[in-house]
């Protein structure tokens, strides 16, 4: 099974091709607005839940000792937050049909 990648411009083009009601620019602005709102919410440590799709949240990673795979030397990775996405039950089921 080959995996086809879709980037943001592909997403906008796909939506634009399916809709005659909105211009490409309107769709692009909408997609950028949605991504911007999700980002701003995560920065404020708010969870974003989209029913039947999934939930975006952030998780905290403690400082840890890691290794540089090229040289094998130990490196300390600083503590940080990272984005996390959990797919909804409906999304998981639709993928496995």
């Amino acid at each position: 099974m080959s995996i086809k990648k879709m980037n943001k411009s592909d997403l906008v083009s796909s939506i634009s091709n399916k809709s005659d009601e909105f211009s490409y620019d309107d769709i692009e602005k909408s997609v950028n607005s949605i991504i911007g709102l999700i980002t701003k919410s995560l920065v404020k440590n708010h969870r974003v839940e989209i029913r039947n799709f999934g939930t975006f949240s952030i998780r905290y990673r403690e400082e840890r000792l890691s290794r540089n795979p090229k040289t094998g030397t130990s490196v300390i990775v600083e503590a940080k937050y990272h984005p996390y996405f959990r797919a909804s039950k409906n999304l998981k089921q639709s993928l496995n049909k």
Side-chain angles (χ1 to χ4, degrees):
M1 176 169 114
S2 71
I3 296 176
K4 183 181 183 240
K5 295 181 182 180
M6 178 181 280
N7 59 28
K8 187 167 55 170
S9 61
D10 294 337
L11 176 64
V12 172
S13 294
S14 179
I15 295 170
S16 179
N17 290 339
K18 292 179 182 180
S19 173
D20 296 331
E21 299 173 27
F22 303 104
S23 70
Y24 183 90
D25 289 337
D26 289 339
I27 295 168
E28 185 176 33
K29 287 177 186 175
S30 298
V31 168
N32 287 334
S33 293
I34 292 167
I35 292 170
L37 288 170
I38 291 171
T39 302
K40 287 177 185 175
S41 294
L42 293 176
V43 167
K44 294 177 183 177
N45 198 16
H46 295 158
R47 205 176 96 154
V48 178
E49 182 179 332
I50 302 172
R51 298 282 173 166
N52 298 325
F53 183 70
T55 303
F56 296 90
S57 60
I58 60 171
R59 291 200 172 169
Y60 183 73
R61 284 191 184 149
E62 297 285 337
E63 183 179 274
R64 65 189 191 281
L65 186 63
S66 187
R67 298 216 179 269
N68 181 334
K70 198 170 191 179
T71 62
T73 58
S74 294
V75 178
I76 293 178
V77 178
E78 295 179 6
K80 60 185 169 186
Y81 290 96
H82 68 99
Y84 179 75
F85 175 76
R86 181 169 178 168
S88 72
K89 182 178 177 181
N90 288 352
L91 179 58
K92 289 178 191 176
Q93 287 174 345
S94 67
L95 294 176
N96 292 307
K97 284 185 179 179

